[in-house]
Amino acid sequence: MTAPRRAVPVPRFFTVERERLFPRPAEDGEPAPLTLLCAPMGMGKTVLASQWLRSGALDDVEVHWMSCLDADGDAGALWRFMTESLRPDAPLGERAGDARSEADADAGDWFRAARRAIERLERRVMLVVDDYQELTSIRTDRDLSRLLSMSPFLLVTVLSRSFAGLDGPTVLSGLTAVEVDAAQLPFSLEETRELAARYGIDDGYVARLHHEAAGWPLPIRQVLQQVAGGATEGRIAAQVRRFLEEHAEAPMSELGLRVLMWSAVCDRISLELMASATGADAGALDAALDELSRLGVITRHWYPERTRLRCHPGLREVLRARAARETATVEFHELRFRHAMDLSGDDPSRAVSLLLDLEEYGDASRLLASFYPEGIGPNGEALAPLRGVPLARLREHPYLIGAHLLTEIGQGRCTRSEAEVMHRAFLEAIAGREAAGDTELSIPTGALRITVERMRGDVEEALLRARALARRMEHARLSDDEAGAAGIPSTAVPVIYSAIAISALLTGDADLAERCFARALESAERVGSGAKQHRALNGLAFAAAAKGETRRARGYLGRIESLELVLDEAPSQFSVMSGVSARLMIAIEDRDLDTIGRLLDTVEPVRSRTSEWSFFAMAETELLRQQDVLGAVARLDRRVRDAERIFDTSSFTAVWLDAYAVRVLAKAGNLGSAKSRLAALDPRHPAVLVSRAALSLLEEDRAASIATATVLLRLRLPVWETIAGYSVRAISRWEAGDREAGIADFTAAAELILEHESTSALEMVPYESLREIAAETVRRGGPDLTAVVTAIPEALRYRQFEPLTPAELRTLEALGAGPRTMAEVAEELFVTPHTVKFHMRSVYRKLGATGRDEALRRARQMGLIPPEQAPEYHL
């Protein structure tokens, strides 16, 4: 046991400052009571801790550093260190608890003495305990955590190759802790280059060195020292391999070497499979693992299903190569296959990847169907082994082809022509399995096909198949047993329902989407999958928000927040996208521009590569349109072009976006652009009917507006479109003089608005008429929307403007082109200054402006003149 000291160790060799790894403070800015640095030997734990403590981050904390290497497993040495550090001048009897000599005091005495010393602390003290693997046990870890709760002044940093329980939920659930583990500690390539530069080594050799050592700091540093001392740089790879082989063959038993080798071959191998592979009994295996843990070359990890082992990352490649040389090919393949299947319960994504590596496509396909697409990783890592595999090799496995196709499209890794080749192979594989009478995975494959057809732009085919598959699922109402009999893993049922639902929502059948997300939630609850419940609830929130049922969407999001408190795993990217879409729709209804901007920032890297891209594009337009309508619509069109690289934008959502752009232009008063854009759209589309009815009203063609809204309201519509139809027809009838019918329609719209908290449809009708009809409805005892109407921001209230004449437009454009006097504008237009003033007085009246700056701002917002910044003018 090293004597207590205040000094922090100084590295005896060149190193690099890695501030990115310094343990971060808690939310209140204070250091966490417990900091854990856990990694195998040679990963730089001690160096990192010393750099952190010397960085100034803890200048106001008194630091004491100890090493447990010679503690001989005696926890009393730790408590004695604490006591003597905190109360170095106290008499032995007061420190150790009685008058016995220091040698006679036992662990219990020193623990009680440490507790008393901690309770008396009046200053902040950090105890750094290095090489804690020599002392860790369930009892010692528990006692250490108990001491931390006895004073707010005590901080503890523990460096260890492994913990018995200090990093487990029993301890961490009751403490604020910061963890730095082996996954964070390897050098980055930049850090390896920086270290090499300190040794005076040319950068050309460093990338290969870094790759050979897998970023492991110890061999990288030692090889750089050798090269700096004159070793041949051209033999760097050989030196690294020699170092790793020597380290892997450090004094250990024959069984220990086999355990280490198989843990390198089968990353995260279970104890049960290791016992089978080595033929060792439980006692011998435990002894070998203890040996390897002390050496720091193997670590235990606790998974829901079982305990698993990981080899030191720097040794894996060397040991895998050795195992391949020393093991028969069949035996080698069989062990890796057994490991993949064994891993499927704890890490199915990794298991699929391993099975694909082994070309065990049938098992990979069945396993993949149980979690696709949630578990494949943000970049489709689980399916990476399929890249480069000839499609002919997969013709017996259509599910793999379909999943691979969707992943490659979603990541933008294939061209349209390549996607078409994969699509043909997918359909041919499906036909081949159907002709052979093979129904295994036919339902999951059908769900994939729906998504494929939707992404290709075949909306009608996708929607027809979605409805047919939903009927098939509903008819069977598959229980867990029935799902298994039909070749569907029970865990795949919520995945299938969610796939149907999202395609239905994005092809115009929101009711089907909601039903299927509800079924997905039921089945996810039945199989006990929190992640799939999270996905289904986000889908339900998305569907409700897209329909305009804002109140229900908020309710689902509240349930999601409660679920996230107990969720053991991070939500999938698909859950996140649906959840962001729901929150964006709610923020639009709330006119919360700050939230819209914040949410869009979270999805920026993938905004044009996800199925919800059209909702993100609409939210961005809402964010921008109050400042620059034409610029906002131009950005919307650019987002459509970006999405064309992946999605066929002749789809339902693209038409929906065009109809939305019409309303944006019309609400800004740019009726000409709105009308020309509307003329190119499918007149049967519900969103187009909404825009046509609104535009007719704004053009004061009330008869056409009433007729179009009436056609719209005969359809089976989501809430938002229904509110829009009633609102437009109400104002049209009100302005046409049919007050009773107008109030009846407005009452219907108001009841839906109050029930669902969906108000944005009111922005598409003239504000003054809206205010009048709302007041009259209340006077007659109808629902009160006056507060809702008054809350519409000034910039979003539509006011009917008298059209400008061509001469007025020319005058306005000339004034907006740059700073100039009335005389200069008159000269440019070949008219008199009096004529310019006459036209501008008319412009002010028509636009409701009090001066030139306001007129120019409003004209730009309406799209009447280019969206350049209005200049300063002087009379």
Side-chain angles (χ1 to χ4, degrees):
M1 173 71 68
T2 304
R5 61 174 184 255
R6 297 171 188 270
V8 175
V10 177
R12 300 184 301 276
F13 42 79
F14 287 128
T15 185
V16 292
E17 192 84 0
R18 297 203 283 168
E19 187 176 349
R20 66 182 176 88
L21 294 176
F22 290 174
R24 300 303 175 195
E27 291 183 2
D28 60 2
E30 295 295 323
L34 178 63
T35 300
L36 302 178
L37 277 67
C38 180
M41 65 180 298
M43 296 299 291
K45 300 184 293 297
T46 301
V47 171
L48 176 64
S50 66
Q51 289 176 341
W52 174 46
L53 295 172
R54 292 177 177 281
S55 69
L58 299 170
D59 280 350
D60 59 340
V61 178
E62 182 179 311
V63 176
H64 298 266
W65 188 296
M66 68 167 289
S67 172
C68 301
L69 282 177
D70 54 353
D72 296 324
D74 177 18
L78 174 61
W79 313 136
R80 176 182 168 186
F81 162 77
M82 286 188 171
T83 305
E84 295 182 348
S85 296
L86 300 177
R87 304 191 64 208
D89 301 324
L92 174 62
E94 186 178 345
R95 279 186 280 149
D98 57 31
R100 290 182 294 169
S101 70
E102 186 171 310
D104 291 337
D106 63 18
D109 291 329
W110 285 114
F111 180 79
R112 287 186 289 273
R115 183 175 62 190
R116 287 194 297 273
I118 290 167
E119 289 171 341
R120 296 176 187 178
L121 279 176
E122 295 179 352
R123 66 193 188 283
R124 289 207 301 176
V125 175
M126 173 174 283
L127 302 176
V128 183
V129 185
D130 201 355
D131 294 303
Y132 184 70
Q133 68 275 354
E134 303 297 326
L135 294 180
T136 185
S137 69
I138 294 297
R139 178 173 179 175
T140 304
D141 291 4
R142 182 201 62 200
D143 287 346
L144 179 58
S145 67
R146 285 169 54 199
L147 292 177
L148 275 166
S149 65
M150 292 176 181
S151 172
F153 296 106
L154 178 64
L155 310 173
V156 174
T157 294
V158 185
L159 288 58
S160 183
R161 296 175 188 170
S162 62
F163 296 108
L166 197 59
D167 60 345
T170 304
V171 171
L172 297 186
S173 61
L175 289 173
T176 300
V178 174
E179 298 180 78
V180 179
D181 61 24
Q184 300 165 269
L185 284 169
F187 283 154
S188 67
L189 178 57
E190 291 71 21
E191 288 163 347
T192 301
R193 285 174 170 153
E194 181 183 347
L195 184 60
R198 296 193 178 193
Y199 280 100
I201 296 172
D202 183 79
D203 182 63
Y205 299 90
V206 174
R208 182 152 50 93
L209 163 62
H210 180 84
H211 174 74
E212 289 284 339
W216 188 7
L218 179 62
I220 287 175
R221 177 172 54 80
Q222 293 196 356
V223 172
L224 287 174
Q225 288 174 331
Q226 293 173 27
V227 174
T232 305
E233 292 178 333
R235 296 181 58 80
I236 283 179
Q239 291 177 29
V240 173
R241 282 195 297 273
R242 187 181 309 114
F243 171 86
L244 297 177
E245 288 169 355
E246 290 173 356
H247 199 82
E249 296 176 2
M252 67 177 69
S253 65
E254 181 182 348
L255 175 59
L257 186 55
R258 277 189 290 141
V259 168
L260 186 61
M261 188 167 64
W262 290 128
S263 69
V265 171
C266 301
D267 187 32
R268 301 178 184 90
I269 189 171
S270 68
L271 282 175
E272 293 81 358
L273 184 56
M274 180 65 79
S276 173
T278 59
D281 60 38
L285 184 57
D286 283 343
L289 289 173
D290 287 342
E291 174 189 32
L292 295 170
S293 296
R294 283 195 302 274
L295 289 170
V297 293
I298 203 166
T299 53
R300 291 180 174 92
H301 298 264
W302 286 267
Y303 280 72
E305 294 283 333
R306 55 197 61 187
T307 302
R308 298 188 176 278
L309 307 173
R310 301 202 73 184
C311 175
H312 192 300
L315 299 175
R316 286 179 195 150
E317 291 305 318
V318 168
L319 289 169
R320 284 171 183 166
R322 175 172 178 170
R325 290 194 306 268
E326 297 179 1
T327 310
T329 302
V330 173
E331 181 185 351
F332 191 68
H333 181 98
E334 177 64 20
L335 180 63
R336 294 174 66 207
F337 173 73
R338 290 172 60 196
H339 169 57
M341 298 304 293
D342 177 73
L343 189 60
S344 62
D346 284 322
D347 191 348
S349 177
R350 175 63 179 158
V352 164
S353 185
L354 293 174
L355 289 168
L356 294 176
D357 268 331
L358 295 169
E359 300 182 7
E360 298 287 352
Y361 297 130
D363 289 295
S365 182
R366 284 185 288 274
L367 178 56
L368 181 64
S370 68
F371 66 80
Y372 181 85
E374 275 80 1
I376 62 168
N379 297 310
E381 295 90 344
L383 299 179
L386 286 177
R387 294 171 202 154
V389 175
L391 292 174
R393 298 272 305 277
L394 303 174
R395 63 178 177 271
E396 299 295 319
H397 309 287
Y399 194 86
L400 286 183
I401 298 176
H404 184 44
L405 167 61
L406 289 177
T407 303
E408 295 300 285
I409 292 174
Q411 297 301 320
R413 284 193 289 255
C414 65
T415 64
R416 282 191 175 274
S417 59
E418 289 170 337
E420 283 304 307
V421 170
M422 294 176 72
H423 178 246
R424 284 195 299 272
F426 179 47
L427 297 185
E428 289 169 2
I430 292 174
R433 302 317 299 162
E434 289 175 347
D438 182 3
T439 59
E440 185 182 27
L441 296 184
S442 63
I443 289 179
T445 303
L448 277 185
R449 185 171 182 180
I450 292 166
T451 308
V452 168
E453 300 305 342
R454 173 175 58 80
M455 293 184 73
R456 294 180 65 251
D458 196 342
V459 176
E460 293 182 0
E461 177 72 10
L463 189 53
L464 284 173
R465 289 189 172 275
R467 289 169 175 165
L469 187 55
R471 286 194 298 271
R472 182 177 173 186
M473 297 284 286
E474 286 294 289
H475 178 71
R477 285 308 299 268
L478 294 173
S479 69
D480 293 349
D481 292 339
E482 291 167 332
I488 307 171
S490 59
T491 52
V493 174
V495 175
I496 295 166
Y497 272 123
S498 290
I500 298 170
I502 195 67
S503 286
L505 182 60
L506 298 175
T507 52
D509 194 338
D511 290 335
L512 175 61
E514 192 164 24
R515 287 198 305 276
C516 288
F517 275 130
R519 294 286 184 261
L521 179 60
E522 292 172 7
S523 53
E525 290 171 340
R526 192 165 59 245
V527 299
S529 171
K532 291 180 173 67
Q533 291 175 51
H534 192 274
R535 168 79 189 279
L537 282 169
N538 271 295
L540 284 166
F542 183 18
K547 291 168 66 176
E549 298 175 10
T550 307
R551 187 191 301 273
R552 282 209 309 136
R554 293 187 207 273
Y556 287 127
L557 292 176
R559 290 176 63 182
I560 290 167
E561 290 175 3
S562 299
L563 177 63
E564 287 174 346
L565 294 176
V566 298
L567 202 62
D568 292 332
E569 51 192 308
S572 73
Q573 60 176 326
F574 302 94
S575 287
V576 170
M577 294 305 166
S578 293
V580 170
S581 300
R583 289 175 171 83
L584 282 172
M585 297 299 102
I586 292 172
I588 289 171
E589 292 297 330
D590 293 341
R591 304 176 183 91
D592 185 350
L593 300 185
D594 289 340
T595 296
I596 293 174
R598 177 176 55 78
L599 290 170
L600 287 175
D601 285 343
T602 66
V603 297
E604 177 57 38
V606 296
R607 191 185 293 184
S608 296
R609 293 194 285 112
T610 184
S611 294
E612 296 84 355
W613 69 271
S614 54
F615 290 87
F616 300 155
M618 187 188 81
E620 184 179 33
T621 307
E622 289 292 316
L623 187 66
L624 300 175
R625 69 184 176 96
Q626 293 188 40
Q627 289 76 40
D628 178 3
V629 169
L630 291 184
V633 173
R635 178 73 66 86
L636 178 69
D637 291 337
R638 187 158 64 251
R639 291 297 186 189
V640 173
R641 290 194 297 273
D642 289 343
E644 283 178 342
R645 292 175 300 169
I646 297 173
F647 303 93
D648 188 318
T649 53
S650 63
S651 65
F652 178 93
T653 48
V655 177
W656 175 75
L657 274 182
D658 266 323
Y660 162 72
V662 168
R663 296 195 297 274
V664 170
L665 291 166
K667 284 188 282 187
N670 193 338
L671 303 185
S673 297
K675 191 172 183 178
S676 62
R677 189 160 185 146
L678 182 66
L681 302 181
D682 181 356
R684 300 166 299 173
H685 196 293
V688 175
L689 288 171
V690 170
S691 298
R692 187 177 300 281
L695 185 57
S696 297
L697 169 60
L698 300 181
E699 289 184 310
E700 301 187 6
D701 187 350
R702 299 180 183 91
S705 178
I706 292 168
T708 304
T710 300
V711 172
L712 178 71
L713 289 169
R714 290 178 185 145
L715 302 176
R716 185 177 176 183
L717 297 170
V719 168
W720 190 90
E721 279 84 356
T722 304
I723 293 172
Y726 277 126
S727 299
V728 170
R729 194 169 71 175
I731 301 302
S732 298
R733 285 173 166 172
W734 175 269
E735 292 184 350
D738 190 351
R739 299 298 176 93
E740 297 299 325
I743 288 176
D745 279 342
F746 186 76
T747 298
E751 289 172 347
L752 290 171
I753 288 169
L754 293 174
E755 178 184 356
H756 297 290
E757 298 180 353
S758 179
T759 64
S760 58
L762 296 178
E763 296 170 14
M764 68 175 64
V765 298
Y767 181 77
E768 288 304 317
S769 295
L770 177 63
R771 186 179 58 79
E772 291 171 3
I773 198 172
E776 181 62 19
T777 300
V778 174
R779 192 183 68 79
R780 297 189 183 198
D784 187 355
L785 276 192
T786 52
V788 172
V789 171
T790 304
I792 298 175
E794 180 74 28
L796 300 181
R797 297 174 180 178
Y798 181 75
R799 292 158 56 180
Q800 288 171 301
F801 299 106
E802 183 181 345
L804 302 184
T805 66
E808 290 164 353
L809 274 174
R810 284 195 299 272
T811 305
L812 194 60
E813 288 172 356
L815 279 170
R820 63 196 68 193
T821 65
M822 289 287 193
E824 290 170 335
V825 170
E827 183 177 356
E828 179 181 333
L829 298 177
F830 301 104
V831 296
T832 66
H834 176 76
T835 300
V836 171
K837 291 180 181 180
F838 173 80
H839 287 323
M840 287 309 298
R841 282 197 296 270
S842 180
V843 167
Y844 298 157
R845 176 182 59 79
K846 291 180 177 180
L847 297 186
T850 57
R852 275 174 287 186
D853 286 348
E854 186 179 358
L856 288 169
R857 178 181 61 78
R858 188 158 290 161
R860 288 190 173 95
Q861 186 180 49
M862 295 170 65
L864 300 177
I865 61 175
E868 299 174 1
Q869 185 175 355
E872 295 275 338
Y873 291 97
H874 304 282
L875 293 175

